[in-house]
Amino acid sequence: MKSVYRLTHWAGLAAALIAGHVAADPACNKTPVPAQSTQAFGRDMIVNGVPTSIVGVQYAGTIDDVSKAFRAYWTREDVPAKGRTSASGVLLSALDGHCLYVLSLPPQPEGCCTRGLLSVIRLDSSPSIHRIADATVPLPEDSRVLSDIESRDPGQTGRTWLLEMPGDARWNARRYRDTLAAQGWRSLGRQPDYQSSRASSTQGTAFAMQLGRESVDVSFSDRDGKTIAVVNATRNR
């Protein structure tokens, strides 16, 4: 669940920089700062309705070195760029026509290198088409979508919703499981309940179900009198 929160956090920061939607440019392939190494988290994603790619990057030098190189590149390209510094690190962005580049650099350990996430967002005025459609997987009743991320990988598509709803986690989980079963989903087994490390009480519950090519892994947990749920749907080609 931590990876979902992390991607959602940075995608949310990026989305906050968008003043409006314009026509999409499918290229969006510039490299503001050459990386020593990269790790693809999702090269073909839809994050809250926006086509996005997110890549882990590692650079030589300090955050200040990388920040200066990022800004210098966009100055040469005559593209406006800006930055924000907070306790969470440095967030750099540049809007190049139809492509928004966002480089997030959290605080770094001493004496190594600089690691971060590079998000490239293709802004589009038309709705994105999900491979796992909204109607394919019914979401829990009374839930509010906090984030919605679809990732397309070779041979498999995944879509993950982070949800909030009123009520107890175990009750919401049981109601959602019954809803899916009534629509023909079959159980793949109940997962172990989440236990608090400081108490013996149950903190949440999880289960998995399948219908045709689609399967879902679901987890429900209590937080501040509400339920937080993660619904992860996958489709194998």
Side-chain angles (χ1 to χ4, degrees):
M1 189 182 294
K2 288 183 178 179
S3 62
V4 174
Y5 287 129
R6 189 180 302 116
L7 291 179
T8 302
H9 172 69
W10 290 119
L13 289 175
L17 300 169
I18 301 173
H21 287 196
V22 293
D25 179 352
C28 294
N29 57 3
K30 293 184 177 179
T31 306
V33 185
Q36 286 183 318
S37 63
T38 62
Q39 178 184 0
F41 287 102
R43 292 193 179 275
D44 185 7
M45 305 175 69
I46 299 176
V47 178
N48 296 330
V50 182
T52 304
S53 67
I54 301 177
V55 179
V57 287
Q58 177 176 305
Y59 303 107
T62 65
I63 286 183
D64 188 53
D65 294 332
V66 176
S67 179
K68 288 178 179 178
F70 184 93
R71 293 173 181 270
Y73 175 90
W74 293 117
T75 297
R76 293 192 300 271
E77 294 286 311
D78 194 26
V79 171
K82 57 184 178 180
R84 181 196 306 170
T85 301
S86 68
S88 298
V90 175
L91 186 71
L92 306 167
S93 65
L95 183 58
D96 182 22
H98 314 312
C99 305
L100 177 64
Y101 295 80
V102 181
L103 178 62
S104 55
L105 304 171
Q108 306 289 318
E110 293 282 343
C112 174
C113 46
T114 297
R115 296 184 177 93
L117 290 178
L118 177 63
S119 302
V120 183
I121 301 165
R122 302 190 307 274
L123 306 180
D124 194 350
S125 59
S126 60
S128 300
I129 299 176
H130 289 276
R131 291 183 182 173
I132 299 179
D134 292 348
T136 302
V137 180
L139 297 182
E141 189 176 345
D142 300 326
S143 62
R144 180 171 70 93
V145 177
L146 302 179
S147 73
D148 176 2
I149 300 173
E150 182 174 274
S151 180
R152 291 90 174 266
D153 300 310
Q156 187 179 80
T157 297
R159 188 172 178 184
T160 301
W161 292 269
L162 179 64
L163 308 165
E164 178 186 80
M165 67 202 76
D168 172 74
R170 298 187 72 180
W171 180 81
N172 277 311
R174 182 168 60 251
R175 181 172 64 160
Y176 184 48
R177 187 167 56 243
D178 291 344
T179 297
L180 291 177
Q183 296 185 21
W185 293 73
R186 64 182 182 87
S187 177
L188 296 179
R190 187 173 179 278
Q191 306 300 312
D193 288 335
Y194 297 112
Q195 301 286 337
S196 170
S197 59
R198 292 173 294 181
S200 60
S201 60
T202 298
Q203 301 299 305
T205 189
F207 60 89
M209 302 186 79
Q210 183 175 10
L211 178 64
R213 290 191 299 160
E214 278 75 36
S215 60
V216 292
D217 294 287
V218 186
S219 64
F220 288 78
S221 58
D222 291 300
R223 180 185 297 175
D224 300 326
K226 298 179 180 179
T227 294
I228 296 294
V230 176
V231 177
N232 180 48
T234 57
R235 171 186 291 168
N236 295 313
R237 294 193 188 96

